[in-house]
Amino acid sequence: MLIRLLLATALTLPLLACSDKPETTMDKVENKVDDALDRRPAEPVRDAVEDAGDKVEDAAGDAKDAVKDATN
């Protein structure tokens, strides 16, 4: 019985997580302000992810430029 309850819970939780409401303009503004003031939850982790994303974009641009130069 306990296993069935755990299984039902495990299958239901992802569905609940996907039912978030769409982000409104006000939510976006609040997030930007919280970001600027370092008040977002888990701010160091979010900053690290943003920095990693920026580095990936830079590396992709560099690779694209290298391929372009190599084909010319």
Side-chain angles (χ1 to χ4, degrees), residues 10-45:
L11 294 174
T12 304
L13 286 177
L15 296 175
L16 294 175
C18 295
S19 65
D20 291 336
K21 62 179 180 160
E23 189 174 39
T24 64
T25 303
M26 190 63 187
D27 292 336
K28 291 177 184 179
V29 169
E30 287 176 1
N31 191 34
K32 293 288 184 186
V33 170
D34 288 344
D35 182 24
L37 298 175
D38 290 334
R39 294 189 309 199
R40 295 184 300 174
E43 183 66 28
V45 174

